Amino acid sequence: MAIDIIWIRDDAALAEHCAAWRRLPFVALDTEFMRVDTFYPKAGLVQVGDGEHAFLIDPLLIRDWSPFAELLEDRAVLKVLHACSEDLEVFLRLTGSLPQPLLDTQLAAGYLGIGYSMGYSRLVQAVLGIDLPKDETRSDWLQRPLTEMQVRYAAEDAQHLAELYAALEPRLTEPKRAWVLEDGAELVANLRREVIPEELYREAKLAWKLSRAQLAVLRELCAWREIEARLRDQPRNRILREHSLWPLARFQPDNLVSLARIEDMHPRTVRQDGNTLLKLIREAAETPPDQWPEALPEPLPPDASPLLKKLRAVGQAEAERLGMAPELMLRKKHLEALLKSGFPNGPYSLPDGLRGWRRELMGQALLDTLATAGQ
């Protein structure tokens, strides 16, 4: 069946179509972008599906995105996407807005027990019985004109995403639909949450092994790397490789030769930013003790594994009862945070990250499991 493709190449057409889309109960959204050597994604195409047509918006020609931003924020229109974390970044970069309410079909499939973390092509095949054309995601979406295969691939994405939603939606019970939307709102909230460069050291690998004085150096290195990546619009690892952060903070080289010997240190980084890094390390090493970061907690010891397994079993049992993918129930980082709150002897407290329906459904069962394990 041929897909009805409508191109949108100017601001007036975009405004006109956005007004029409805002009268619909839902729109399916997708993007094609390039992110080979940049920090921010570069939009090559934005697709909208309404179940009857595939609309292809050329972002290289649009100047006024405000009507599209209003569509994204219109709570009367459900926005349907698939595995959408990077699409959300594209929308935020283009329009300053994010879709709400948001239903992610990858999550919906997990809630329906169809499969967890299913790729789009596999899900379309499983639910609609349609084989999609060969993946074009690696092609150049900033080239013009786009190839016939690229156009077909992009249009089919928009068309079938709308059909996918139409097939999945009736199968979602009222609670599950609410949970999928809650998870969608959390995806949006996480992206809106401001990244504080000075806090990123907490996520660095092996940071817990460093002294407080060394953490002061790591804090500055991580903050500098993040700020420079954004300013230069380059990937973080192009600025400074992740595996270099810990040894830099640990050994604190004071000359270019020592710097070049640091594990995974790229020669380009030494050439371009070597002196800046040495100055940054030197100044951070002089941080007064009262301004050092607090020591970071160690990972859970091996003897916590049996408890972790028992907690995971709570989620698995609930998933089985509800016919859902068990991976959706309880995230490992939340279970670890719960254990860290009181291991080994308690008392334990539910972490902030474990919120919403998961907390209501399983919070008490998790605490009860820990209480009985300690007896």
Side-chain angles (χ1 to χ4, degrees), residues 48-327:
V48 181
D50 64 0
E52 295 180 18
H53 315 280
F55 301 89
L56 304 183
I57 306 169
D58 189 341
L60 306 188
L61 301 174
I62 301 297
R63 295 289 166 265
D64 180 12
W65 285 96
S66 56
F68 195 78
E70 288 165 10
L71 168 71
L72 291 179
E73 293 180 2
D74 188 338
R75 290 191 169 275
V77 185
L78 178 69
K79 270 64 70 170
V80 177
L81 293 95
H82 182 86
C84 63
S85 55
E86 289 193 293
D87 296 310
L88 295 184
E89 287 187 67
V90 173
F91 290 138
L92 191 59
R93 186 81 176 147
L94 278 180
T95 72
S97 296
L98 288 166
Q100 47 191 343
L102 159 64
L103 185 142
D104 188 318
T105 52
Q106 188 179 62
L107 287 173
Y111 277 91
L112 292 170
I114 296 169
Y116 177 68
S117 212
M118 273 185 98
Y120 182 65
S121 297
R122 272 184 62 214
L123 188 57
V124 168
Q125 166 53 238
V127 175
L128 302 176
I130 295 170
D131 289 315
L132 291 178
K134 196 173 186 305
D135 194 345
E136 287 286 324
T137 50
R138 292 193 181 279
S139 62
D140 183 359
W141 289 100
L142 297 175
Q143 70 178 2
R144 292 297 183 272
L146 295 170
T147 66
E148 193 179 320
M149 184 58 84
Q150 282 178 303
V151 172
R152 182 184 161 211
Y153 171 84
E156 291 208 5
D157 265 7
Q159 176 76 13
H160 297 318
L161 186 54
E163 294 168 356
L164 197 54
Y165 169 68
L168 293 176
E169 201 275 337
R171 297 166 62 178
L172 287 168
T173 60
E174 198 61 44
K176 283 186 179 180
R177 191 176 198 276
W179 298 345
V180 177
L181 293 178
E182 193 177 304
D183 281 1
E186 189 172 347
L187 284 170
V188 169
N190 286 341
L191 202 57
R192 282 216 181 277
R193 207 164 281 131
E194 186 187 356
V195 173
I196 301 169
E198 290 74 21
E199 294 290 319
L200 291 174
Y201 74 95
R202 298 173 181 278
E203 309 300 323
K205 286 174 182 168
L206 300 178
W208 61 274
K209 283 190 168 185
L210 297 174
S211 68
R212 292 179 64 203
Q214 291 165 342
L215 283 175
V217 176
L218 183 68
R219 177 174 61 189
E220 298 309 312
L221 287 168
C222 291
W224 175 84
R225 177 180 182 246
E226 181 72 12
I227 291 164
E228 288 301 311
R230 291 168 183 264
L231 282 174
R232 302 181 199 180
D233 192 15
Q234 291 181 348
R236 294 180 185 90
N237 274 339
R238 178 72 66 88
I239 304 297
L240 179 60
R241 286 178 172 169
E242 188 172 352
H243 290 297
S244 298
L245 289 166
W246 189 85
L248 280 172
R250 169 76 175 79
F251 300 111
Q252 300 176 18
D254 60 3
N255 60 73
L256 291 173
V257 174
S258 300
L259 184 70
R261 288 182 182 146
I262 287 289
E263 181 192 345
D264 212 22
M265 176 62 64
H266 198 289
R268 180 188 61 242
T269 303
V270 178
R271 282 196 310 274
Q272 290 182 353
D273 295 302
N275 288 317
T276 301
L277 285 168
L278 293 174
K279 181 171 182 284
L280 189 148
I281 291 167
R282 187 169 63 249
E283 290 175 355
E286 293 168 1
T287 303
D290 62 342
Q291 293 173 30
W292 288 346
E294 290 301 315
L296 293 174
E298 291 186 24
L300 286 165
D303 59 346
S305 291
L307 259 185
L308 199 58
K309 204 171 176 182
K310 284 184 179 179
L311 294 177
R312 201 174 286 123
V314 171
Q316 286 168 336
E318 202 61 29
E320 204 171 305
R321 183 180 75 81
L322 294 165
M324 290 169 54
E327 297 91 343

Side-chain angles (χ1 to χ4, degrees), residues 16-78:
E16 185 184 328
H17 283 295
C18 284
W21 293 330
R22 290 182 70 182
R23 293 193 287 271
L24 300 175
F26 81 93
V27 287
L29 302 176
D30 192 22
T31 68
E32 305 300 342
F33 58 90
M34 301 294 287
R35 199 183 205 162
V36 179
D37 52 10
T38 59
F39 183 88
Y40 298 103
K42 294 187 182 301
L45 207 59
V46 175
Q47 303 104 285
V48 181
D50 64 0
E52 295 180 18
H53 315 280
F55 301 89
L56 304 183
I57 306 169
D58 189 341
L60 306 188
L61 301 174
I62 301 297
R63 295 289 166 265
D64 180 12
W65 285 96
S66 56
F68 195 78
E70 288 165 10
L71 168 71
L72 291 179
E73 293 180 2
D74 188 338
R75 290 191 169 275
V77 185
L78 178 69

